[in-house]
Amino acid sequence: GTDGRLHVLVTSPTDSAGVVRELRDPLGPIEPHGEAPPKLAWVQNAAGQRTLGALYVVGRLVPGKRFPASALRFVRSEDGGSTWSAPVTVTDDTTATLADGAHFGSHNFHALHGAPDGTFHVAWLDGRAGKSAVYTTHSIDGGRSWARNVRVVPPSAPMTEACPCCRTAIAADATGHVYLAWRAVLPADTAGGVATARASAASGEATGEQAGKHAQHGQHGANGPTIRDIVVARSTDRGTTWEAPVRVHSDNWVFDGCPHAGPSLAVDAQGTLHAAWWTGKPGAAGVFYTQSTDRGASFANATPLGVASASQPAHVQLAVMVGTPGSAPRVLAAWDDGTRRVPQIMLRSSGDGGATFGEAVSVSENGPAASFPVLAVDAQRATVMVAWSQQAPETASKAAASRPNMRDPKAVMPLPSVGQTQVLLRTGTLTSTARSATANADQFTPLAIGDLAPAYGARVRHGALSGDSVQVAEPGAVTLVNVWATWCTSCREEMADLDSLHRTYGPQGLRVLGVSVDQGTTDKVLRYVAREQRGCSV
């Protein structure tokens, strides 16, 4: 947080090693915020010259202010990343509280996109008018100069307020249409949101502790609770003007805070707009996908990619790859799975343009806390590249616990720092015969009375049966499987009731299997059993 530097590595088929360039900014440290990370994009002008642009935030603490001031800065390279220009500020408002206030204000959670026509597009969340709103600008000369800032939704229009800490996303097609997505703040009575508000309140922290601790602005509005759904706006003139935003799906998720989880957009060669996002709606929380074939005017039904009854915030990224002429494009989605206590990077692929997706594949290893993936494809080599940040689960938990609760009006947000974090990159090969599953493959289908027990087993790690694999189905027995974890308070509380059931009905054939889903070593589980053991194996 005191000496933030940006490192850029550019490789090529003829230079697989590349050269790392360290970029500093004279205004201060470059922020490593996971939901507002530095962004890279390429453009190519009519003469064939390629420019690599980098967009990032410089943060600065302001005495007496709860949140750091931020400057949105852009640098460019015209020689493939070997040398870089001096940084420029892309925002045009001023803040009088700092000596160089022309650069600083409330500018963050940005997006950078290089359009097919050679235009750089930038979007961000901006608080210059009070409540958070989405602003854009663009450059048609490779980032040397920038157009005036444009507020996407006028203050008097619906959906003008943006959820203040969820990143924005931009995509553009070859015909000049530009699309912008963000999480909007809507009245809770919008499309049945009142009923959702009751469900959300009853479920408590539906998005996990992380969402609650990250919640910053956007508490109850003047008219009560608010919905936080994803919307998309379209521009037909390079971002100079914008049409009214459209919701990609009516999640009607009521949450009075910001979960730090923005959307992703991509456009394929046929002009289909693809969108993915996370929602914390109780009962259907997780990552979803949809698409629009009418240039953002309407969207198809949402397809669940990784959904459960509850989920911590997940950060999804999309990429599309053009196939052979006449074939459907490949659509890929990568995200950090918030339905797990320790998130892993997951990937799903569609070979039919997003109509159906194959099963989820784990990209990161089991154990470390992996987050904030970045996704890219190489059509010529039929490869996909996923990069992400990774920490030991203990380090991630400690960092999450140390974050200030910004619902407290006295709390002050510090500058973010990198900490004990690794950046990993993994490359995979895409096959043309990848198996696809139905679009609803992730929807839970409960067992019905009379169904056979699934082929499911668990390894016994302690006690008389240590080393054996206990199977669910056992002839002549009725088996109750309880999935639990040492960190689950309600799970621990129900142990006594399950033990009582087993003692009462065990002689009549009832088996109770408690399957721990704790990750890492078995030490925590063994310590719990040593403390609470009631004559069971584990």
Side-chain angles (χ1 to χ4, degrees):
T2 58
D3 191 25
R5 291 158 285 161
L6 173 62
H7 293 81
V8 181
L9 170 64
V10 180
T11 64
S12 68
T14 58
D15 181 14
S16 59
V19 178
V20 175
R21 297 302 183 197
E22 180 183 277
L23 305 183
R24 296 174 180 257
D25 196 291
L27 293 182
I30 297 174
E31 288 194 357
H33 195 299
E35 182 65 357
K39 300 290 185 71
L40 295 173
W42 293 92
V43 295
Q44 181 171 303
N45 63 18
Q49 181 182 15
R50 300 183 73 205
T51 300
L52 175 62
L55 182 72
Y56 57 82
V57 166
V58 172
R60 179 174 296 183
L61 296 176
V62 182
K65 298 292 185 180
R66 297 185 63 208
F67 297 93
S70 49
L72 194 55
R73 306 276 276 173
F74 180 87
V75 292
R76 70 183 192 280
S77 173
E78 296 178 346
D79 55 10
S82 295
T83 60
W84 292 82
S85 68
V88 297
T89 299
V90 302
T91 54
D92 57 15
D93 63 321
T94 61
T95 301
T97 56
L98 298 174
D100 47 6
H103 302 287
F104 286 90
S106 177
H107 321 118
N108 217 322
F109 303 99
H110 47 280
L112 172 67
H113 180 70
D117 64 2
T119 302
F120 275 125
H121 292 277
V122 170
W124 67 95
L125 301 184
D126 196 304
R128 70 181 70 179
K131 291 185 177 181
S132 178
V134 181
Y135 280 71
T136 64
T137 185
H138 64 273
S139 172
I140 60 175
D141 57 8
R144 293 180 178 83
S145 62
W146 293 86
R148 68 178 182 86
N149 296 177
V150 175
R151 179 168 178 159
V152 175
V153 183
S156 59
M159 302 190 225
T160 185
E161 184 181 355
C163 198
C165 301
C166 291
R167 72 173 76 178
T168 53
I170 310 173
D173 62 25
T175 64
H177 292 84
V178 185
Y179 305 94
L180 174 61
W182 70 94
R183 190 180 297 278
V185 178
L186 307 171
D189 58 356
T190 302
V194 171
T196 308
R198 296 193 187 101
S200 181
S203 66
E205 291 287 342
T207 62
E209 279 186 36
Q210 185 179 10
K213 290 188 71 66
H214 281 189
Q216 294 194 4
H217 309 288
Q219 285 80 17
H220 283 322
N223 298 319
T226 54
I227 289 173
R228 307 295 170 113
D229 281 1
I230 302 301
V231 300
V232 170
R234 181 180 67 179
S235 173
T236 59
D237 54 10
R238 283 180 166 171
T240 302
T241 60
W242 292 88
E243 298 173 2
V246 175
R247 273 203 278 186
V248 300
H249 184 256
S250 295
D251 294 329
N252 292 323
W253 176 42
V254 175
F255 182 69
D256 293 312
C258 190
H260 287 224
S264 180
L265 290 178
V267 180
D268 62 34
Q270 285 75 37
T272 298
L273 177 64
H274 305 265
W277 71 98
W278 174 88
T279 179
K281 183 177 181 179
V287 175
F288 288 84
Y289 161 86
T290 188
Q291 63 177 244
S292 172
T293 57
D294 54 9
R295 293 178 173 170
S298 63
F299 288 85
N301 293 332
T303 297
L305 296 180
V307 177
S309 60
S311 171
Q312 296 185 73
H315 309 90
V316 60
Q317 293 288 288
L318 287 175
V320 295
M321 184 176 71
V322 179
T324 58
S327 66
R330 177 70 63 90
V331 182
L332 299 108
W335 70 95
D336 42 3
D337 188 359
T339 65
R340 304 166 181 254
R341 178 165 178 80
V342 179
Q344 274 186 278
I345 305 301
M346 309 301 293
L347 178 75
R348 292 188 70 174
S349 174
S350 170
D352 53 13
T356 61
F357 282 83
E359 294 182 358
V361 176
S362 177
V363 179
S364 64
E365 62 178 320
N366 186 26
S371 59
F372 297 105
V374 178
L375 179 64
V377 293
D378 184 337
Q380 292 183 340
R381 295 168 180 79
T383 58
V384 55
M385 291 145 283
V386 186
W388 66 90
S389 299
Q390 184 167 293
Q391 292 179 314
E394 297 80 9
T395 303
S397 297
K398 185 177 180 180
S402 65
R403 294 189 185 102
N405 185 352
M406 299 312 294
R407 290 176 181 263
D408 180 358
K410 297 181 180 179
V412 177
M413 178 65 69
L415 291 176
S417 58
V418 174
Q420 298 176 347
T421 305
Q422 292 177 307
V423 176
L424 287 85
L425 172 68
R426 193 170 185 186
T427 302
T429 302
L430 295 171
T431 62
S432 59
T433 58
R435 183 165 59 94
S436 292
T438 63
N440 294 321
D442 275 356
Q443 287 185 328
F444 175 68
T445 302
L447 294 173
I449 295 175
D451 287 352
L452 293 176
Y456 179 80
R459 180 72 64 182
V460 179
R461 302 307 299 265
H462 178 71
L465 300 178
S466 180
D468 289 346
S469 179
V470 177
Q471 301 299 314
V472 168
E474 182 175 280
V478 175
T479 303
L480 187 157
V481 179
N482 179 50
V483 180
W484 69 284
T486 58
W487 45 264
C488 175
T489 303
S490 59
C491 297
R492 297 196 301 267
E493 292 173 347
E494 69 186 1
M495 284 291 185
D497 293 333
L498 295 174
D499 182 62
S500 177
L501 283 173
H502 181 254
R503 291 177 182 275
T504 302
Y505 297 103
Q508 302 177 39
L510 174 66
R511 301 166 69 233
V512 178
L513 295 182
V515 181
S516 167
V517 292
D518 286 274
Q519 298 189 14
T521 67
T522 59
D523 293 347
K524 290 184 293 185
V525 180
L526 293 175
R527 286 196 299 268
Y528 175 84
V529 172
R531 185 174 66 250
E532 304 288 341
Q533 187 170 6
R534 300 178 175 89
C536 63
S537 296
V538 63

